[in-house]
């Protein structure tokens, strides 16, 4: 039987089909997008007494926020050295410190609000494909311990079997501040809280455009116009032509996840005895983890179609999974789905403004921690209550000859694959 094309997560927490509500005439804050970003902002604003309307063209959460791997990585694509080169060492330190704060804030929120999302602070193992990658991981671990007091350490190849049962990696590292959630349960809890705080959720309604007026903004939707004093845009990888300015700056990239049929307990124990979240140092990286009930492996990576063959993306991930764990060759795949992440030119998630509209976007593949946090930061900016955020940048640069269709991604993927091959062979 072919795998289901809907997320595994939707079995326990399907997207909620909201009763259709009319577009209100006015509000304090209109928010476009009902994922982690939109709801993070909405809850913060509603708790400060603001009237908030969230509008989404799909059902709430049907974008990436119920489709992801649920790894609370708060990752940054750039290394500390790369960020120092681009933004200076103070800004690089501040961004990393903010990632630590954002992750802690999510964990506190889950505990304080008694959020039922299968959260487990299991830790994350990163695998090295070469000895030089292992040295980088070891140095990064030292940096996290010394500068942020995070429990992090290198794992030499000789000790790797305690964490992961593979011969592919030449060692790795562990950081214990990263864990896993059930992303769709997390989203449905955010939605429950937002509703309880009086936020109006308007689903299945596309925003067509936003314009400035003397009193604030007019948000034109397919079902009527909403006047708002402030507007937040949280559309990330699902941004569309309704915002042509943003569309030249944010690159939507498809990411795919497959989930195995339930595996024998001894097999799960032999492949990931640590029960950790896993990724590796490849540029075209793969991320994987046990499902929260510990019975299946969830394996994610890039999507794409090869020569128009629709089964290629699933077969490709299955093949890569078997390269790491040969004993999984031929196991059944129950689910295979994709969603969109959002890249930008300098690969930093960020908040910014254009003509007074607040944007929080550009997850670069890691948004469970980052984008709820970015939504809160934008909300606090509107409320005028927060200290500056290291994510508060100027808008991302536009990309030449790009307007929504990432025609250049096959070439980017090919170059990354080549770099990965070289890195694994040369060092
Ligand atoms: C397959 C996959 C795996 C991932 N794994 C991880 C992971 O393990 N860890 C991690 O940290 N991150 C992961 N991510 C990234 C993470 O899921 C996202 O960064 C995060 O969910 C983005 O939240 P968001 O609210 O900004 O956007 P989304 O949840 O994508 O929501 C954006 C919303 O905007 C709406 N919208 C867009 N345009 C309009 C319009 N014109 N009118 C009305 N509504 C509009 C869309 O309908 C959508 O619902 C993964 C993503 C994918 C796709």
């Amino acid at each position: 039987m072919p795998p289901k094309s809907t997320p595994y997560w939707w079995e326990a927490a399907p997207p909620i089909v909201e009763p259709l509500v009319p577009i209100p005439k006015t509000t304090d804050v209109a928010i476009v997008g009902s994922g982690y970003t939109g709801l993070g902002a909405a809850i913060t604003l509603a708790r400060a007494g603001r009237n908030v309307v969230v509008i989404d063209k799909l059902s709430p959460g049907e974008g990436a926020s119920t489709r992801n791997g649920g790894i609370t990585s708060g990752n940054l694509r750039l290394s500390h050295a790369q960020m120092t080169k681009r933004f200076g060492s103070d800004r690089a330190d501040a961004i990393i410190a903010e990632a630590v704060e954002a992750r802690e804030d999510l964990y506190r929120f889950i505990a304080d609000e008694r959020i039922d999302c299968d959260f487990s602070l299991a830790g994350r193992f990163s695998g090295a494909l070469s000895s030089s990658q292992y040295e980088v991981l070891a140095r990064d671990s030292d940096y996290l311990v010394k500068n942020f007091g995070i429990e992090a350490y290198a794992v030499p190849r000789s000790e790797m079997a305690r964490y992961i049962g593979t011969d592919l990696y030449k060692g790795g590292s562990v950081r214990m501040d990263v864990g896993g959630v059930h992303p769709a349960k997390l989203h449905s809890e955010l939605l429950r809280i937002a509703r309880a705080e009086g936020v109006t959720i308007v689903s299945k309604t596309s925003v067509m455009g936003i314009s400035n007026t003397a009193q604030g903004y007019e948000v034109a939707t397919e079902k009527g116009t909403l006047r708002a004093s402030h507007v937040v845009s949280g559309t990330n990888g699902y941004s569309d032509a309704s915002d042509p300015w943003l569309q030249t700056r944010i690159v939507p990239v498809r990411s795919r996840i497959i989930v195995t049929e339930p595996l024998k307990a001894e097999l799960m124990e032999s492949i990931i005895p640590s029960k950790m979240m896993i990724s590796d140092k490849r540029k075209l990286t793969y991320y994987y983890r046990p499902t929260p009930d510990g019975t299946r492996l969830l394996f994610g990576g890039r999507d794409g179609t090869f020569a128009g063959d629709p089964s290629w993306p699933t077969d490709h991930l299955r093949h890569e999974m078997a390269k790491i764990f040969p004993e999984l060759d031929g196991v059944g795949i129950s689910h295979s789905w994709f969603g969109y992440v959002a890249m930008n030119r300098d690969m930093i998630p960020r908040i910014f403004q254009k003509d007074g509209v607040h944007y929080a976007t550009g997850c670069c593949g890691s948004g469970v921690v980052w984008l709820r946090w970015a939504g809160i930061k934008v909300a606090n900016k509107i409320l005028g209550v927060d200290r500056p955020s290291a994510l508060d940048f100027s808008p991302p640069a536009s990309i030449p000859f790009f307007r929504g269709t990432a025609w250049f991604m096959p070439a980017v993927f090919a170059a990354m694959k080549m770099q990965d091959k070289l890195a694994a062979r040369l060092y």
Side-chain angles (χ1 to χ4, degrees), residues 108-421:
R108 203 166 36 243
F109 180 75
I110 289 171
D112 289 354
E113 308 278 341
R114 296 172 194 273
I115 288 189
D116 171 16
C117 64
D118 302 334
F119 171 56
S120 154
L121 194 48
R124 187 186 67 194
F125 178 90
S126 299
L129 278 293
S130 64
S131 47
S132 68
Q133 284 184 356
Y134 173 70
E135 280 158 27
V136 172
L137 285 172
R139 271 202 307 275
D140 287 352
S141 301
D142 280 351
Y143 179 82
L144 290 176
V145 175
K146 282 191 194 118
N147 293 283
F148 299 103
I150 291 172
E151 186 184 348
Y153 49 90
V155 178
R157 194 173 192 172
S158 56
E159 289 171 24
M160 225 170 58
R162 283 170 40 208
Y163 299 88
I164 179 169
T166 182
D167 290 331
L168 188 74
Y169 301 141
K170 314 278 187 287
S173 68
V174 163
R175 58 184 290 176
M176 288 307 300
D177 60 337
V178 174
V181 293
H182 186 302
K185 287 189 183 175
L186 173 62
H187 181 271
S188 81
E189 289 282 83
L190 287 169
L191 194 59
R192 171 183 65 77
I193 295 168
R195 264 213 229 88
E197 297 295 342
V199 173
T200 302
I201 310 282
V202 183
S203 58
K204 307 253 184 220
T205 303
S206 284
V207 168
M208 322 284 280
I210 299 163
S211 48
N212 292 63
T213 66
Q215 287 77 37
Y217 300 88
E218 280 188 0
V219 180
T221 80
E222 55 180 333
K223 294 186 186 151
T225 297
L226 170 67
R227 284 199 304 282
S229 308
H230 304 274
V231 178
V232 174
S233 166
T235 54
N236 205 49
Y238 291 77
S239 305
D240 60 24
S242 67
D243 191 336
W245 176 82
L246 184 67
Q247 223 187 2
T248 61
R249 288 164 165 78
I250 292 290
V251 183
V253 176
R254 267 166 67 150
S255 181
R256 179 169 289 270
I257 291 178
I258 59 174
V259 170
T260 65
E261 295 285 2
L263 303 173
K264 290 208 166 89
E266 311 84 72
L267 181 53
M268 282 302 291
E269 179 64 25
S270 70
I271 60 174
I272 311 187
S274 60
K275 300 181 174 44
M276 286 183 176
M277 312 291 118
I278 318 260
S279 67
D280 61 42
K281 280 293 281 177
R282 278 178 276 195
K283 286 191 184 298
L284 272 183
T285 191
Y286 298 93
Y287 50 92
Y288 44 105
R289 57 170 290 184
T291 50
D293 64 2
T295 62
R296 302 165 187 247
L297 186 75
L298 177 151
F299 191 88
R302 78 181 164 111
D303 191 49
T305 51
F306 186 68
D309 175 2
S311 60
W312 183 84
T314 303
D315 292 344
H316 167 72
L317 284 185
R318 196 200 293 261
H319 177 69
E320 290 297 328
M321 180 175 76
K323 274 202 224 160
I324 300 171
F325 301 121
E327 56 274 59
L328 296 190
D329 196 11
V331 299
I333 302 297
S334 63
H335 296 73
S336 171
W337 73 92
F338 68 85
Y340 289 93
V341 297
M343 304 294 174
N344 57 47
R345 268 184 91 169
D346 59 16
M347 303 302 266
I348 293 279
R350 60 181 64 214
I351 63 174
F352 52 93
Q353 273 177 270
K354 162 84 164 61
D355 298 336
V357 174
H358 293 268
Y359 291 84
T361 190
C363 70
C364 302
S366 281
V368 176
V369 167
W370 271 130
L371 284 179
R372 171 186 161 271
W373 175 260
I376 294 170
K377 285 282 152 184
V378 155
N380 283 336
K381 226 174 155 184
I382 290 171
L383 296 169
V385 297
D386 210 23
R387 62 197 160 79
S389 165
L391 298 191
D392 197 342
F393 275 87
S394 52
S398 66
I399 297 156
F401 310 112
F402 168 65
R403 191 172 281 267
T405 305
W407 50 268
F408 41 80
M409 283 318 288
V412 173
F413 284 148
M416 288 164 99
K417 194 171 173 187
M418 185 59 73
Q419 285 171 314
D420 284 337
K421 271 192 177 158

